[in-house]
Each structure stands twice: as C-alpha cells, then as structure tokens.
Amino acid sequence: MVTVHYRKQYSPALGREMEVKVYGDRGKPMLVFPTSLGRFYQYEDAGMIEELAPWIDAGKLQVWACDTLDEETFFSPHWNIGERIARHEQYDAYIMQELVPEILHESRQNNGGDEQKILISGCSMGAYYSANFFFRHPESFDTLLALSGVYSVNHFFGGYREGAVYFNSPLDYLPGLEDDHLLEQYRRRRIIICCGQGAWEDEMREETARLAEVLFHKAIPARVEFWGYDSEHDWNWWRRQIRQYMSDLM
C-alpha cells in the first residue's frame, strides 16, 4: 500500500500557498508535473502512481507531484505575454529555490545521508515543464523522462521570443548553447523522450523530432522513441510508457 503525504505550504516566491502530494517514504526522488491546467493530484487520479507502486512500495522510489500555475502563465486568458512569463519565472523560483531543496533535503534524510539527484518527468504539458527545468537546471536532475511534450513556446506565445520567453523555449535556446559546463552535465545525464504517432500527437511528434536532432548535433546522448500510430495523446498510453521506461531506469 503506497504511503501518501499531502502538503500545503506558503511559497514566498509566489506569494501564495502551493500544494504537493508525496508518495513513498524513501528511494530515488522523482518530481512530476501535471498536464495543462492539471493539479497536483492528477498523476494519482490518472493511474500513474498505481503503475509506479511496485518501486514505491519497495522503497526504491519517492514521487513528488506538484502544482503548476498554468492559468496565470502559459494558458492565461487575461494577462499579456510579459506578465505571464514574469509569473512563470516566479514559478521557476518556487520550484528551484523552494521545492527542489526540500526534495533533496528529505531525500538525504530518508536515504541514510545518500546524496541523490532528481528524476524529473511529466506527460504532455508536464513533459514541457520537466524538459525545460531539466535543461535550465541540470545541476539538480540526473534523469529526464518526458512523454508526449512540446519543447518550444510556439503553442503559447507564437513567434514571440523576447526576454525570458526565449530562455523558456528549449528548441530555441539549446541549438545555440555553447557552454561546455552545461553541455557536459547533459551528456552525463539520462534522457528519455517519447511520443506517440496517433491521434492528437502531431505537434508533439514534430517537436520531439526537432529536439532529437538538436541533442544529436550537440553530442548529447538521448533515448528518443516514437510509439506506433495507434498510440494516442492520453493516459492509457502514458501508463504503458511509464511502466516500460521506469522498468528500464530502476
């Protein structure tokens, strides 16, 4: 039986309370993001925790499912682009300065002082979040598992790339990246990117292929796979994919 902990904490970076669910008491820390406009409990409701239960119950994996601010950032119907990306940068500060340090601190305590990095993952919009955080902050993560994501901000901001918008669009900032320190960190990480080829996967398939090309040209090892034309953009397929890839990773 998976142990579940619910937390609600005030975030100074965001000026509001944020909610998280934690599954398991020890093991490899895994941070997961919901799909667009989803909530911290979506991963469990969609059956993904059930798929990961064997590793959680065995003490090999601890999953942290967080909230996003999509309604104020990428999917806001009211704010302008500058306000939306500024709010996302505050969210970036919440994740990297508040939640990630908490995860790493608890991981050390729960695993006998063992220093670990985080496996970061998500599906659809969650795949975008996981990839963007992974590539912007590789010092905190050693594994990326992104399923059916987009990897640019075209869907949210069109061709606009000014300021912080550019630095949240991996398909824009990665091709020109020449920082050897960052590139070497990517090369020492495990990267798995997957997309189906069935219904509602066209945009994700195109951007997954573009990301694969970028990583290849940067000599960054990555496992990029395209599932069959029957694999759709939905939880039924993501449950199958998480089961296979976590079996390989764990």
Side-chain angles (χ1 to χ4, degrees):
M1 183 70 177
V2 172
T3 303
V4 184
H5 305 278
Y6 165 78
R7 303 180 186 183
K8 187 175 185 178
Q9 299 171 320
Y10 179 80
S11 165
L14 296 174
R16 55 165 286 181
E17 291 184 317
M18 294 294 287
E19 295 172 278
V20 176
K21 268 192 167 183
V22 184
Y23 304 88
D25 295 310
R26 65 188 186 279
K28 176 73 175 177
M30 178 179 183
L31 174 61
V32 298
F33 295 85
T35 62
S36 52
L37 300 169
R39 296 297 310 280
F40 67 99
Y41 46 77
Q42 181 194 52
Y43 209 72
E44 178 183 356
D45 290 353
M48 299 293 268
I49 295 299
E50 182 180 354
E51 297 294 343
L52 298 175
W55 297 286
I56 298 172
D57 287 337
K60 296 180 179 179
L61 187 69
Q62 185 180 50
V63 180
W64 296 64
C66 67
D67 254 339
T68 60
L69 297 179
D70 284 346
E71 71 281 358
E72 300 176 28
T73 57
F74 295 104
F75 292 91
S76 171
H78 306 297
W79 296 3
N80 64 40
I81 291 177
E83 292 169 329
R84 290 159 64 193
I85 201 64
R87 187 59 167 161
H88 173 72
E89 287 296 284
Q90 292 175 337
Y91 179 71
D92 182 279
Y94 158 69
I95 293 293
M96 296 310 306
Q97 298 173 25
E98 299 173 24
L99 185 57
V100 162
E102 180 182 356
I103 294 172
L104 294 175
H105 173 73
E106 292 204 15
S107 177
R108 285 191 296 272
Q109 289 188 318
N110 297 337
N111 294 287
D114 184 26
E115 294 280 353
Q116 300 197 62
K117 296 187 184 298
I118 298 169
L119 189 167
I120 191 167
S121 184
C123 309
S124 190
M125 187 65 185
Y128 162 80
Y129 276 114
S130 61
N132 192 41
F133 277 108
F134 175 87
F135 289 118
R136 288 187 68 181
H137 308 283
E139 68 280 358
S140 296
F141 310 104
D142 65 1
T143 307
L144 168 65
L145 176 54
L147 307 178
S148 296
V150 295
Y151 304 105
S152 78
V153 294
N154 290 340
H155 187 81
F156 318 111
F157 303 125
Y160 188 88
R161 291 295 186 276
E162 296 300 317
V165 172
Y166 174 86
F167 293 103
N168 284 284
S169 187
L171 282 175
D172 288 291
Y173 65 72
L174 285 175
L177 184 65
E178 301 295 340
D179 186 319
D180 289 335
H181 178 67
L182 282 175
L183 291 171
E184 283 306 312
Q185 288 189 76
Y186 300 152
R187 291 166 185 152
R188 294 194 300 267
R189 306 300 190 244
R190 295 178 297 181
I191 299 174
I192 298 176
I193 302 165
C194 171
C195 185
Q197 300 182 79
W200 309 295
E201 289 276 52
D202 290 347
E203 183 179 10
M204 295 74 183
R205 183 175 67 247
E206 177 187 350
E207 296 212 349
T208 296
R210 288 174 57 198
L211 182 57
E213 292 180 7
V214 171
L215 297 177
F216 175 79
H217 288 298
K218 292 292 181 182
I220 299 169
R223 178 178 175 181
V224 182
E225 296 186 349
F226 296 89
W227 286 40
Y229 288 94
D230 57 341
S231 54
E232 301 180 353
H233 192 82
D234 67 24
W235 290 105
N236 289 328
W237 283 97
W238 297 330
R239 286 196 295 270
R240 299 185 196 185
Q241 291 164 2
I242 199 75
R243 187 188 316 140
Q244 173 174 315
Y245 292 124
M246 289 302 293
S247 296
D248 296 341
L249 289 170
M250 301 299 291

